[in-house]
């Protein structure tokens, strides 16, 4: 009897995988989507995101924190990136509050 239950469970999972996306897509088509209110990513934000990945990566190659001195890597590589994004987050909050 357990073999039959396992087969039914597999069939139910397969049906769920194929049927759920179709059902959800039909529900989303009926909803009215509002116009995009956001401005998207500006060139400066894209540059900041790229620099946020490149700065720690290049410093990791230079400092090799996996050998030793991982705390210096945190201060020099991760610290400035976190500080810059934190400042941007605070200023964007003040800018939204003014509007």
């Amino acid at each position: 009897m357990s073999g039959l239950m396992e087969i039914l469970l597999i069939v139910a999972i397969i049906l769920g995988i194929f049927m759920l996306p179709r059902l959800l897509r039909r529900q989303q088509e009926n909803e009215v989507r509002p116009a995009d209110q956001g401005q998207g990513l500006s060139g400066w934000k894209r540059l900041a995101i790229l620099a946020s990945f490149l700065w720690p990566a290049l410093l990791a190659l230079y400092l090799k924190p996996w050998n030793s001195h991982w705390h210096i890597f945190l201060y020099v590589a991760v610290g400035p990136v976190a500080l810059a994004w934190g400042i941007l987050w605070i200023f964007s909050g003040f800018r939204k509050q003014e509007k």
Side-chain angles (χ1 to χ4, degrees):
M1 191 65 157
S2 67
L4 179 63
M5 293 300 287
E6 291 172 357
I7 292 172
L8 290 176
L9 180 64
I10 292 172
V11 169
I13 290 172
I14 291 173
L15 285 175
I17 289 172
F18 288 113
M19 297 302 288
L20 280 178
R22 291 181 184 172
L23 293 173
L24 293 176
R25 193 176 318 133
R26 287 182 190 156
Q27 291 175 356
Q28 290 175 355
E29 289 174 356
N30 294 337
E31 296 175 6
V32 177
R33 295 181 185 172
D36 186 21
Q37 300 294 330
Q39 296 175 348
L41 292 176
S42 66
W44 289 109
K45 281 190 181 178
R46 291 173 193 230
L47 180 65
I49 291 170
L50 180 66
S52 296
F53 287 114
L54 287 180
W55 178 256
L58 292 175
L59 278 175
L61 291 174
Y62 179 72
L63 294 175
K64 295 181 178 50
W66 49 88
N67 291 337
S68 63
H69 308 295
W70 58 270
H71 57 281
I72 294 173
F73 173 75
L74 290 177
Y75 293 136
V76 176
V78 179
V81 172
L83 181 67
W85 282 109
I87 291 171
L88 178 70
W89 180 57
I90 290 170
F91 281 131
S92 65
F94 281 124
R95 196 175 316 144
K96 286 182 182 178
Q97 189 177 25
E98 291 175 0
K99 289 183 180 180

